[in-house]
Structure formats: structure tokens, C-alpha cells
Amino acid sequence: MKFFVCLTLCYLNSQLDAIEDAKLSVMTKVTQYGMGIFGGIRGYLQEDKKSISIFRLQDHYHRFLKSLKIINKSIPYSHKELVDITIKLAKKNNPKTDTYIRPFAYADSLDVSPNFVHCGFNFALYMIPMGEYLPIHKGLNLSISSWTRITDNVIPARAKISGGYVNSALAKSDATAQGFDDTLMMSQDGHIAEASAANFFLVRDNHLITPPRYQDVLEGITRRTIFELAKGLNIPVLEHPIDRTEVYIADEAFLSGTGVQVAWISQVDNRKIGDGKIGPISQKIQNLFFNIVRAKVEKYKHWLTKI
Ligand code: PMP
């Protein structure tokens, strides 16, 4: 995979570096303990094939800063500076493909204590080309994981904490090894939380249903986008705890996320969802989403930052 130039901003001394020069010691707390916060933002190639538009850039940095607040750390960049740095990097790289942008705030202290107090935090940002993360047209085949989703008093799923993704990796690895595309994890109370890196929606009786924010889920920006799209399409959205068997009898289901985008689900635990084909509501939402990110819908152009 070809990497673009990477912008690495050091704590005191901001600078633009080639990705090969953006090195991190094996001794840091982020490499040893996963003490970092990351983000994932998509830039979509536009029709002219010359420019990209970054989707909900401001919202991604609001969440990024909230994740830092949860671990009680800060970086010396304001929300506006982070947005500006990202635009600067994207302009510099001038990508000609769909692009994935990763901000990263991380503990670069070398002492051995797993402690955020008196611990230096640094910021880096890179971008790579990225197409589909999971298939969006074939219908996903999911399992329900035997791994429990990390809970708020363990590692908050609400924050994008690097170390928390070991939970996702355990679940996703089992699913992959068993031939599934991904997996749904349950919270400690036995209700569906989310997939390894995506939020979950099902459709029953023309209602969209998704686990509530207190169900150990990341408060996804795509999840919030779906809420707004559903409102515009007059589809009611309910947030309530979802039993495993409610998934089995759903009419439709899909995953949402920056990487995943909107990807419909054909099977869960070897049971067909609906008739195993994409349903009308998933199709409508998926079409609208992709038209929006390619800047074809005037009403939602304010979500795009053109580079
Ligand atoms: N849940 C998890 C665990 C994720 O990693 C992601 C991807 N960021 C999501 C949900 C979807 O969030 P978003 O729509 O903000 O990308």
C-alpha cells in the first residue's frame, strides 16, 4: 500500500514529515499499553476525479477531543487548528483516490507506569488510499461474538481508545477464522452492542432500530448521519436494547461506520436476515449516503469539506 506524505506534529515543534520518518519508540506507553486516541475520517474522490471532499471533518474532531477528555488528556491544538492541519495535509498530498485520514494522539512517555498523569501526549496525522473496508453490495455474513464488548467502567467504548481495539481484534479474528465478514458483540447485559468497528441497525415493521448510546457503543458519526437521513426519509428511528433473537427475525439489517460506510447484512449466525437480499430501507439509506458523500445532494453539502 502506498502511503502519502505524513504530517507529524510534535508536541512543541510542528513539522511535516515523510511517513517513513514518523517513527515511534517501542518503549512508549502507546506501543506497550495502547494509551492513545485515534480517529478515522474519509475523504471521497469527487466527480472531477481531481479533488476529494472530507465527510463531517468538524464532527470527527469534536469526537476526537471528547475521547481525549474522557481519558483526561489534552493536546496543544484547538479544534480549529486540527481541522486546518488536516486540510493542509490533504492539500499537500492531493490524493486522487478515496482516502482514509487518521489523527492520532498518543502517550509518548517512556516510563513504565500505565498512568496518564504527567505523561506527554503527542499528535500525528496520516492519510492512506482506501476503498471498501467491508463489501457494501454482497450482503455481510456476520456472527454473534462470544467476546463481550468492553464496558464503560472497563475501557469506555464511547472513546476511540487504541487499547480498546484489542477487544475488537479478538472478536473480529474469531469471526474471520470462522469465515464470517465481521461479528456483533454483546454488552455485559447480553444485548447487542456493535460490530468490531461499526454500529448496528436493524429494520422491523418499517422502523429503524439501533442500540442506545448507553449500550457500550462508539457514538458513531455515521450512526448520527443515518438518524438525520432517516428523518428526511420519514423513517422512524428507535434506540432500544436489542436481543440477539430480535436480530434473527429482523426484516433488514446493516452496519454503519466511516470505514464500513453503509453495508447491508444478509446473514447473522447462519440465519438469513429477511429474505437474505437487500431490503428497501437499507437500499434507500445506502443510496442516499453514497450520493451525499459524492456531493450529489445539495441539502447535505454542508457535511463536506472540499479539498
Ligand atoms: N464502532 C466502532 C467500534 C468503531 O471503531 C467505529 C468506526 N469509527 C464505529 C462504531 C463507527 O463510527 P463512525 O461512524 O464515527 O466511523
Side-chain angles (χ1 to χ4, degrees), residues 132-135 138-147 149 165 167-186 192-200 247 254-257 259-261 263-270:
E132 284 182 11
Y133 172 80
L134 283 177
K138 87 164 174 72
L140 299 175
N141 180 11
L142 304 186
S143 60
I144 293 189
S145 185
S146 57
W147 294 95
R149 184 72 183 129
Y165 280 73
N167 176 237
S168 296
L170 289 167
K172 174 97 183 183
S173 307
D174 276 1
T176 308
Q178 290 158 19
F180 295 101
D181 295 307
D182 208 295
T183 189
L184 297 172
M185 281 182 278
M186 293 198 276
I192 301 294
E194 58 183 340
S196 65
N199 292 114
F200 174 72
V247 178
F254 59 86
L255 297 182
S256 77
V260 164
Q261 309 177 101
W264 69 280
I265 299 164
S266 60
Q267 246 180 242
V268 175
D269 271 359
N270 304 309

Side-chain angles (χ1 to χ4, degrees), residues 197-216:
N199 292 114
F200 174 72
F201 284 85
L202 62 76
V203 177
R204 279 192 80 190
D205 305 324
N206 299 314
H207 287 64
L208 266 178
I209 306 173
T210 194
R213 279 187 286 191
Y214 57 78
Q215 197 79 67
D216 300 321

Side-chain angles (χ1 to χ4, degrees), residues 38-40 60 63 100 149 157 160 165 168 185 194-200 217-224 256-261:
F38 71 103
H60 276 280
R63 186 180 63 200
Y100 190 61
R149 184 72 183 129
K160 268 183 92 76
Y165 280 73
S168 296
M185 281 182 278
E194 58 183 340
S196 65
N199 292 114
F200 174 72
V217 299
L218 183 73
E219 295 181 10
I221 287 155
T222 322
R223 176 183 183 274
R224 190 150 31 107
S256 77
T258 299
V260 164
Q261 309 177 101

Side-chain angles (χ1 to χ4, degrees), residues 66-121:
K66 281 183 185 145
S67 286
L68 276 163
K69 190 167 187 185
I70 286 172
I71 60 166
N72 209 10
K73 293 303 294 181
S74 61
I75 49 172
Y77 303 102
S78 66
H79 179 270
K80 181 173 183 315
E81 283 167 330
L82 292 168
V83 167
D84 289 347
I85 290 163
T86 307
I87 293 172
K88 183 175 158 191
L89 178 68
K91 283 193 171 148
K92 183 97 187 154
N93 284 319
N94 193 18
K96 297 285 183 285
T97 60
D98 289 345
T99 301
Y100 190 61
I101 303 167
R102 269 253 155 112
F104 189 35
Y106 55 95
D108 59 357
S109 302
L110 303 181
D111 69 286
V112 296
S113 167
N115 185 346
F116 283 120
V117 177
H118 308 308
C119 159
F121 245 63

